[in-house]
Amino acid sequence: MTLEFHWFIPSGGDSRELISTGPRGAARSYRAPGYDYLLQVARAAERAGFAGAMLPTTSASTEDSWTLAAALATDTERLQLLVSFVPGLELPASFARRVATLQQLAPGRLKLLMFSAGHSLEQRAQGDFLEHDERYERAGEFLQIARAVWRGGPVQHAGRHYLLNTPGLTVAACEAPPLYVGGASAAAERLAAAQADVRLLWGETPAMVRERIERLQRHGRRPGHALRVHVIARETEAEAWAQAERLLRAVPQSLIDAAQRQLANIDSVAQSRMLGLHRGTTVQDVRELEVSPNLWAGIGLVRGGAGTALVGSYAQVARRLEEYAALGIGSFILSGYPNLEEARVVGERVLPLVQAVSPADALQTA
Amino acid sequence: MPLEFHWVLPTEGDPPALDPQGRTRQLAHWMAVAQAAEHAGFNALLVPTGVQRPDAWLVAAALTRHTRRLRFIVALRPGLVLPAVAAQRAQTLHELSGERLLLSVLTGGDASEHHAYGDLINHDDRFVRAAEFLRVVRQVWKGRGACSGINHHGAHYRLQNGGLSRPLREPPTLYVGGASPASERIAAEQAQVSYGWAEAPALLQARVQRVAALAAGQGRSLHVGCRLHVVARATEAEAQREAGTMLRGAEIAPNLWPIARPAGIRNGVALVGSYAQVAQRIAEMQSLGVESFILSADAALDDALRFGEELLPLVGSRPAASKPAPAELRE
């Protein structure tokens, strides 16, 4: 089985530091998510050999992923665009049409990443006031309708969240793009088991990933698995840890404390699993946060979302990626600080060292 | 305000008689139309929305990458997407295009797109919601300021601690489509241009006065635009032949005809005549106070070029300045 490697488009801003919260934030090296910069990252990823790049969900501080994808598709040759979305902010048929339009603009280059629930504060800021579990229920209905619309025939749907009765929307009919589903709650796993082509995990330890994969397989249907993790790879292991140390030391303790308070309020199981990887917020030695060999939880101290990085020499990082692949991860979404320069480092130095591993064989021998 | 001439991109494709293979429903053709409109000297390209039309935002986003100066009027119907999302989408497209985005908000009128996409709100509420939608969008554009987020609790939308983290420097000019009293009120309160299908001069004059009075009541000024289909050729007889069966019923005013096609789509009002006649009618509308003309034709590509050479020079249009919008359009 071939492994797929994707990179990341920092549409909320980028930086050499862990925190790049924008003009008011702390980073000295803040890079605004202007289109020209994001295009440079996309082209760097394409040249460095990545199959695609992920666009994070649209929010008040993150550019609209759909519009960006349409423009980036025009300005790149073959890069796949992994467009993230949270359902519920628009009607499903309207979403389905946008997907069909993007399929037309970039044939065969679109993948969808669904973060079914988002989190409450972010959702309310955008006008969505449903609670966590209801958001999952709605996500299921949303996807059902979108798939029906893509098939092109008449759609009659009367559910709890949506009503639709349409003779068929030719313009919205298209081949359904591969769907990745994120989230770690029981509701998220039910949804992933029922609807996903690929289930997306954040960079948990191999033991946790194994548990999650086995748990999902008990649902019967067997989607693929993808892992989203940051990478700090250097020529030698010592250099890589020195870089992790530098990233960590650049963040004032007050910002770490503030970030932890904020992250603790997020009603996301995936997020609390990330937080569970590190205890406390004062760190003496950078490697205190090495929660599994070469897996560093330091990013989660200050950032929401995927909070771990693979830290090590090029060869070590390649070995760790192979280990995840052996557990059943078929697709990776990687990123670094900053994303422009690190796309080259990871694409040119690490990826050529990764040997394809057949997950099926690996599971049998495990 | 200098006269503005905009062109319409029919993303549903040209009529089947002109394009049996559906080539005009493809990106390559839309790119050609956008580039032709830019070359011809149009100010902006209207990317419409409709039941069988693709997502206007994404089509416009792709086309901005193939043009330099041409602006894009993205048409949207409130109700399909939450306003905070639309506001962010507008920011991204406005900025990535070098501030070439204009927005056309369709407030009421045709219910077919709403129904086909699962938006089952009734006619009157649609206007109330459109007004609230625009208020929220404009509020979100202002960003969060130094500390506090935007809170909104209305009949149709709620927002808690919302707003763009980075305010929009120069919000897009807003067009409101529709000639009903409710549409005009929304435009007078919130937009820069109120536009609808062209009418007979007396009605148009009444519209201009009504809209001016409504805007004055809000302490604002508002421009009036006309949506027009155009069939112009060297002679009137040629234009009439070209228009063929698209015209039904009686001439509304000299050279102004209702369009009634069998399939019911792409209906509206057309100016039919020689280039000189059409230019004359446009000049008359201008003298009544119409400043913005949104023109379309059945063959969007050929006629963009044809009108750029034959018609626009007669109506005093100059290629648009590189500024995103005339300063008078700003609030």
Side-chain angles (χ1 to χ4, degrees):
Chain A
M1 179 178 141
T2 28
L3 297 175
E4 271 186 348
F5 292 99
H6 304 293
W7 194 247
F8 183 82
I9 306 290
S11 59
D14 204 3
S15 172
R16 293 179 182 283
E17 321 291 337
L18 287 184
I19 287 198
S20 60
T21 46
R24 288 178 287 119
R28 292 183 299 276
S29 63
Y30 175 69
R31 297 177 189 178
Y35 181 72
D36 291 344
Y37 179 69
L38 301 181
L39 176 58
Q40 282 188 55
V41 176
R43 285 185 170 150
E46 189 170 71
R47 274 198 302 273
F50 288 96
M54 165 183 171
L55 290 146
T57 52
T58 307
S59 74
S61 54
T62 316
E63 299 293 312
D64 177 51
S65 54
W66 298 96
T67 315
L68 283 179
L72 291 173
T74 310
D75 288 330
T76 54
E77 309 268 314
R78 52 155 190 85
L79 193 71
Q80 295 171 11
L81 297 154
L82 285 65
V83 178
S84 309
F85 70 99
V86 179
L89 306 177
E90 65 182 314
L91 293 176
S94 159
F95 161 84
R97 167 169 60 178
R98 180 162 326 100
V99 166
T101 304
L102 197 49
Q103 285 279 58
Q104 188 188 348
L105 299 176
R109 292 170 60 189
L110 174 62
K111 291 180 170 172
L112 296 174
L113 269 56
M114 184 170 83
F115 295 90
S116 323
H119 64 76
S120 291
L121 298 180
E122 192 68 64
Q123 291 299 101
R124 288 176 193 171
Q126 305 213 66
D128 174 29
F129 284 76
L130 279 192
E131 295 302 328
H132 179 276
D133 283 4
E134 280 183 297
R135 294 203 294 272
Y136 272 101
E137 185 191 279
R138 182 183 57 189
E141 211 180 310
F142 183 95
L143 276 181
Q144 243 178 5
I145 296 174
R147 287 190 191 282
V149 170
W150 289 332
R151 281 192 291 272
V155 183
Q156 272 134 26
H157 178 99
R160 265 200 67 192
H161 300 277
Y162 300 111
L163 283 172
L164 183 65
N165 186 349
T166 190
L169 300 165
T170 324
V171 75
C174 68
E175 196 182 321
L179 177 73
Y180 288 52
V181 175
S185 66
E189 295 200 333
R190 273 196 304 277
L191 191 67
Q195 302 257 17
D197 298 304
V198 179
R199 191 266 299 266
L200 179 64
L201 302 165
W202 284 341
E204 301 185 347
T205 65
M208 292 164 82
V209 167
R210 179 193 296 273
E211 173 216 326
R212 297 273 307 276
I213 289 177
E214 285 170 359
R215 213 161 69 200
L216 193 68
Q217 285 173 343
R218 286 201 289 273
H219 286 271
R221 217 177 134 263
R222 298 199 163 192
H225 303 276
L227 190 78
R228 162 108 182 83
V229 68
H230 303 278
V231 175
I232 302 171
R234 292 292 179 266
E235 192 77 50
T236 66
E237 180 174 20
E239 280 172 76
W241 283 111
Q243 167 64 2
E245 169 101 43
R246 197 191 67 73
L247 286 173
L248 186 63
R249 295 304 165 211
V251 185
Q253 186 63 41
S254 60
L255 277 181
I256 295 181
D257 295 340
Q260 289 300 302
R261 277 195 304 275
Q262 212 183 342
L263 294 176
N265 283 327
I266 290 177
D267 57 342
S268 151
V269 175
Q271 187 63 60
S272 51
R273 285 175 74 97
M274 283 287 113
L275 293 180
L277 287 174
H278 54 73
R279 291 174 211 84
T281 63
T282 40
V283 182
Q284 306 304 320
D285 181 291
V286 66
R287 295 191 75 156
E288 280 173 33
L289 296 169
E290 187 177 7
V291 293
S292 170
N294 299 104
L295 186 70
W296 185 58
I299 290 166
L301 278 181
V302 289
R303 296 191 64 121
T308 53
L310 289 172
V311 182
S313 68
Y314 303 137
Q316 282 175 320
V317 170
R319 292 296 89 70
R320 298 305 168 205
L321 291 171
E322 287 166 4
E323 281 171 20
Y324 282 114
L327 293 174
I329 301 288
S331 166
F332 292 90
I333 302 174
L334 309 176
S335 55
Y337 294 91
N339 284 287
L340 178 56
E341 290 90 326
E342 297 295 320
R344 261 201 311 279
V345 172
V346 177
E348 292 173 7
R349 309 306 295 271
V350 177
L351 298 193
L353 304 179
V354 179
Q355 306 286 316
V357 180
S358 161
D361 296 350
L363 279 182
Q364 277 160 17
T365 53
Chain B
M1 170 179 168
L3 280 183
E4 289 184 335
F5 290 91
H6 308 311
W7 192 241
V8 176
L9 175 68
T11 48
E12 75 279 20
D14 290 349
L18 296 180
D19 176 28
Q21 322 231 303
R23 287 204 184 93
T24 56
R25 289 197 296 270
Q26 294 168 7
L27 176 64
H29 177 78
W30 301 336
M31 273 161 49
V33 173
Q35 287 166 350
E38 182 166 271
H39 175 78
F42 286 101
N43 298 69
L45 187 68
L46 171 70
V47 187
T49 185
V51 178
Q52 294 297 3
R53 291 181 178 133
D55 185 273
W57 294 95
L58 298 197
V59 172
L63 295 180
T64 63
R65 307 306 302 159
H66 295 281
T67 49
R68 293 198 185 91
R69 174 190 62 69
L70 188 71
R71 294 181 288 155
F72 290 87
I73 307 177
V74 170
L76 72 96
R77 287 187 184 279
L80 305 186
V81 179
L82 289 177
V85 177
Q88 174 67 80
R89 191 156 291 151
Q91 178 180 47
T92 299
L93 184 51
H94 198 38
E95 292 183 352
L96 85 78
S97 64
E99 299 190 329
R100 289 191 282 151
L101 175 67
L102 314 170
L103 283 179
S104 164
V105 181
L106 306 177
T107 49
D110 179 16
S112 61
E113 187 174 9
H114 291 282
H115 289 162
Y117 285 84
D119 177 25
L120 305 176
I121 193 168
N122 71 44
H123 180 268
D124 291 348
D125 280 348
R126 252 197 330 268
F127 289 101
V128 175
R129 186 184 60 182
E132 191 182 334
F133 179 92
L134 260 181
R135 273 196 298 278
V136 175
V137 164
R138 288 164 56 239
Q139 194 65 28
V140 168
W141 278 340
K142 290 180 185 158
R144 293 176 202 256
C147 46
S148 65
I150 291 156
N151 292 299
H152 172 90
H153 203 135
H156 297 279
Y157 299 112
R158 271 169 83 194
L159 225 64
Q160 188 178 308
N161 210 15
L164 297 175
S165 58
R166 196 163 42 83
L168 200 51
R169 201 172 62 85
E170 184 105 54
T173 301
L174 292 175
Y175 290 64
V176 169
S180 69
S183 289
E184 290 177 350
R185 246 191 334 271
I186 293 170
E189 285 165 8
Q190 309 202 54
Q192 283 78 43
V193 182
S194 164
Y195 76 97
W197 283 101
E199 298 171 276
L203 292 174
L204 208 49
Q205 184 164 31
R207 192 201 293 181
V208 170
Q209 286 165 356
R210 204 169 56 230
V211 163
L214 277 171
Q218 303 286 327
R220 304 178 73 247
S221 66
L222 186 63
H223 301 284
V224 171
C226 262
R227 177 79 179 78
L228 265 172
H229 202 68
V230 179
V231 187
R233 292 294 181 269
T235 66
E236 181 174 16
E238 232 181 295
Q240 279 289 343
R241 259 200 314 281
E242 187 67 36
T245 57
M246 135 192 356
L247 309 181
R248 295 275 160 80
E251 201 176 22
I252 301 166
N255 301 105
L256 193 65
W257 294 81
I259 309 172
R261 299 182 209 251
I265 56 159
R266 298 166 67 103
N267 286 346
V269 178
L271 267 183
V272 182
S274 68
Y275 298 122
Q277 284 173 318
V278 168
Q280 169 73 26
R281 300 305 163 215
I282 286 175
E284 284 165 13
M285 292 180 194
Q286 185 201 355
S287 71
L288 296 175
V290 177
E291 293 165 288
S292 182
F293 293 88
I294 303 175
L295 309 181
S296 58
D298 273 8
L301 176 57
D302 290 354
D303 279 353
L305 296 167
R306 189 197 308 272
F307 294 171
E309 287 161 9
E310 304 287 354
L311 184 61
L312 294 188
L314 303 182
V315 292
S317 163
R318 297 173 305 279
S322 57
K323 283 284 290 171
E328 306 90 286
L329 282 182
R330 305 285 176 210
E331 266 181 280

